[in-house]
């Protein structure tokens, strides 16, 4: 258990820095992985990464590229967007949202019974948001 004094504060500070470093490294890994996959996808379609991302942004805005070399990238971006929408409509997503709603609601009630009303209100608001998600 934590004590009082400078030693305990220094230990908590070191634990906090370690946890922050772990999250920073995890975020850097996720960003590097996403960049690597995008670069690989762009190379497979014969484009540079920046040009591929421009095509993807234009497709999201509803613009069709004029350059025939960019059409395969546009088709790939539209296919991936449709696939991700189909994934969100699957049955397990509904069960997951229902479970998260129940979790937020129960933790809100437990916090309310414990006298932490601000945290309880926060959890109940999140439960309502998950419940109202279409």
């Amino acid at each position: 258990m934590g004590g009082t004094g400078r030693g305990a504060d220094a230990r908590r500070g070191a634990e906090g820095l370690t946890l922050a470093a772990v999250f920073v490294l995890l975020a850097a890994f996720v960003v590097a992985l996403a960049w690597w996959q995008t670069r690989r996808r762009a190379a497979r379609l014969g484009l540079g990464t920046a040009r591929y991302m421009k095509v993807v942004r234009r497709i999201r805005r509803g613009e069709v590229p004029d350059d025939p070399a960019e059409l395969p990238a546009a088709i790939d971006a539209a296919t991936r967007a449709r696939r991700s929408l189909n994934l969100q409509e699957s049955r397990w997503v509904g069960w997951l949202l229902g479970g998260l709603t129940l979790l937020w609601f129960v933790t809100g009630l437990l916090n309310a019974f414990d006298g932490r009303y601000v945290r309880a209100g926060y959890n109940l608001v999140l439960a309502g948001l998950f419940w109202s998600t279409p």
Side-chain angles (χ1 to χ4, degrees):
M1 289 287 182
T4 59
R6 290 184 176 212
D9 289 341
R11 192 171 351 129
R12 275 190 242 128
E15 289 173 359
L17 286 176
T18 302
L19 187 62
V22 166
F23 278 110
V24 166
L25 288 175
L26 182 63
F29 174 74
V30 169
V31 167
L33 181 65
W35 178 77
W36 177 72
Q37 286 181 339
T38 303
R39 187 174 57 101
R40 233 179 82 209
R41 193 175 295 118
R44 182 175 42 98
L45 296 169
L47 297 174
T49 307
R51 187 172 176 193
Y52 176 78
M53 290 307 297
K54 285 180 185 177
V55 170
V56 170
R57 278 191 293 273
R58 288 177 59 200
I59 288 297
R60 287 181 183 161
R61 284 184 292 206
E63 301 172 8
V64 179
D66 297 329
D67 188 1
E70 295 176 345
L71 285 177
I75 292 169
D76 180 62
T79 304
R80 287 180 48 242
R82 176 169 285 171
R83 196 176 324 135
S84 71
L85 286 175
N86 288 340
L87 180 65
Q88 292 174 6
E89 293 175 1
S90 69
R91 176 180 276 180
W92 66 270
V93 173
W95 282 102
L96 181 65
L97 285 176
L100 286 173
T101 303
L102 182 65
L103 176 69
W104 283 113
F105 183 72
V106 168
T107 57
L109 289 179
L110 291 175
N111 280 322
F113 290 140
D114 201 25
R116 296 185 234 161
Y117 300 113
V118 173
R119 195 174 285 177
Y122 171 75
N123 286 356
L124 292 175
V125 165
L126 283 176
L129 289 174
F130 274 106
W131 180 64
S132 66
T133 301

